[in-house]
Amino acid sequence: MTDWAIGDIQGCAEPFFRLLEKANFDAATDTLWVAGDMVNRGPDNLSVLRFIKSLGEKAKVVLGNHDLHLLAISVGAKKLSTKDTLHDVMVASDRDELINWLRQQPLIQSSGKYLMSHAGLPHIWSEQECLAYANEVHQCLKDNVISTDFLLHMYGNKPNSWSDNLEGFDRLRAITNYLTRMRFITKQGELDFSAKERPSDAPEGFSPWFSFPSRITKELIFGHWAALNGKVPVAGFHAVDTGCVWGGKLTLMNLATQARISVSADLSAELTAKNTASKNALML
C-alpha cells in the first residue's frame, strides 16, 4: 500500500502507464495524488482521464489551469486553440461523464500530513484561508448553472493581488489564479504572469512564491512549474512537474520515502498522429 504523487501528465498516456508499471502501481491498494494538469499538449488525454477517474477514491485529484481550460471549452466559454490537443475528449462517447467528474474535483487536497494544489499556496494566506478560498471555487464548479457563468469569466490577469473585499467573479478568478497559475509573487501578494521560466528569471520586485515564509503546517505537493524540474529549495515542499510534455520526464514520488521514479518519452510522432485524427473527427 503506497501513496504516490505525480504532476502535469498533460495527456502523456504512454509514459504515464509505463511509469505506473515501472513503480508496480497497484490500483487496488495504492493511492495516486494527481497535482493537476492531467490534460492538454500531449497526445492522449482521453486515456489519462479515463484511468484516473476509474481509480475512484484511490485518486486524490486537484484541478490545474489546463483542466479548467477543458471545462471552459466544454461549455463554450472558450474555443480550442491551435496549441490545444483536447479534441479527443471533445469527441469521446463518454465526454459528458468525464467532464462532470472533472467538475467535482477540488483545487486543494488535504489528507494526513500533506496538502496539494496545482501551482502552490501563497504565503499571504493561512492554511485555513487556503482551504476556505479553494472551497469557494470548488462549490461554484459543482453547480451546473453557476459554473458556466464562472468559466465564462475565469480568464484574465486581474485582479493580480488579493483583497478580502473582492467579490463575485473577480474574487473567484483571483483565487483560481493563485492556486493554478502562480509562479512569481511580491511580499505583498501581487502576482506576475509573464515570467514562466527559472526562479532566477523573476521580474524585478518579484520572487518565486515558495521563497517567502509559509503559513502552512503540512508538507505541500505541487506541479505547474516545469522549469523547476522537480526541485525546490524548501524543506517540506515537493515539486512533481518534471516537464514530460516539454521533452523532460514524467515522475512519481513515493510520499512515504520521497523516493522518485521517472520515465521519458518522445511524444512528437504520437502527438501528430493522434491530434490530427481527433481534429478530423471533431470536424465531422
Side-chain angles (χ1 to χ4, degrees):
M1 181 177 177
T2 305
D3 286 354
W4 299 96
I6 192 169
D8 301 71
I9 304 165
Q10 294 196 239
C12 300
E14 189 277 330
F16 175 46
F17 295 128
R18 184 156 39 88
L19 178 59
L20 294 177
E21 183 177 2
K22 184 177 180 179
N24 295 313
F25 179 82
D26 187 339
T29 59
D30 294 352
T31 299
L32 189 64
W33 290 63
V34 185
D37 277 4
M38 293 169 279
V39 298
N40 212 14
R41 302 295 189 259
D44 190 353
N45 307 282
L46 198 53
S47 295
V48 172
L49 286 179
R50 285 172 173 167
F51 177 79
I52 295 174
K53 178 178 177 293
S54 76
L55 294 176
E57 293 183 355
K58 290 296 182 180
K60 292 185 179 298
V61 174
V62 295
L63 297 176
N65 51 301
H66 284 289
D67 308 313
L68 289 166
H69 184 59
L70 172 57
L71 291 179
I73 289 169
S74 73
V75 297
K78 200 74 172 177
K79 293 183 178 180
L80 285 163
S81 76
T82 55
K83 294 181 179 179
D84 292 327
T85 65
L86 298 166
H87 309 79
D88 57 343
V89 180
M90 298 302 292
V91 300
S93 59
D94 55 346
R95 163 190 154 167
D96 292 345
E97 182 181 344
L98 291 169
I99 293 298
N100 185 61
W101 169 79
L102 201 60
R103 287 200 302 110
Q104 311 308 310
Q105 307 311 310
L107 296 189
I108 291 180
Q109 287 277 3
S110 177
S111 181
K113 72 178 210 178
Y114 291 102
L115 278 171
M116 178 175 66
S117 74
H118 178 57
L121 299 175
H123 65 282
I124 58 172
W125 294 345
S126 69
E127 189 171 313
Q128 293 71 28
E129 288 171 328
C130 288
L131 292 167
Y133 297 153
N135 190 54
E136 290 182 35
V137 178
H138 180 45
Q139 295 304 319
C140 169
L141 289 171
K142 289 166 63 176
D143 186 296
N144 281 326
V145 176
I146 299 175
S147 66
T148 298
D149 288 340
F150 166 58
L151 292 166
L152 283 164
H153 293 86
M154 178 178 67
Y155 293 88
N157 295 338
K158 299 291 184 178
N160 63 344
S161 58
W162 180 252
S163 167
D164 291 337
N165 297 323
L166 288 174
E167 296 180 344
F169 295 125
D170 282 348
R171 181 182 179 89
L172 293 172
R173 187 185 311 112
I175 295 168
T176 302
N177 283 342
Y178 276 107
L179 298 179
T180 69
R181 298 180 61 208
M182 175 178 64
R183 290 188 181 92
F184 294 105
I185 193 170
T186 65
K187 183 178 180 180
Q188 293 74 30
E190 180 183 348
L191 293 172
D192 175 85
F193 299 105
S194 61
K196 300 182 180 181
E197 299 304 321
R198 297 167 298 178
S200 58
D201 297 326
E204 185 176 355
F206 290 82
S207 299
W209 63 267
F210 48 77
S211 64
F212 295 97
S214 175
R215 298 171 64 187
I216 67 170
T217 60
K218 296 186 177 185
E219 296 192 35
L220 177 63
I221 303 163
F222 70 97
H224 184 58
W225 202 341
L228 295 177
N229 196 29
K231 299 174 183 178
V232 58
V234 181
F237 283 14
H238 306 288
V240 290
D241 178 8
T242 50
C244 179
V245 79
W246 308 117
K249 296 181 178 181
L250 194 62
T251 299
L252 277 171
M253 184 180 79
N254 184 320
L255 295 191
T257 66
Q258 297 182 17
R260 296 184 177 222
I261 302 173
S262 299
V263 299
S264 57
D266 179 6
L267 302 173
S268 56
E270 185 183 3
L271 175 58
T272 300
K274 290 199 172 184
N275 198 29
T276 299
S278 55
K279 282 183 178 180
N280 291 339
L282 190 61
M283 293 186 294
L284 293 177

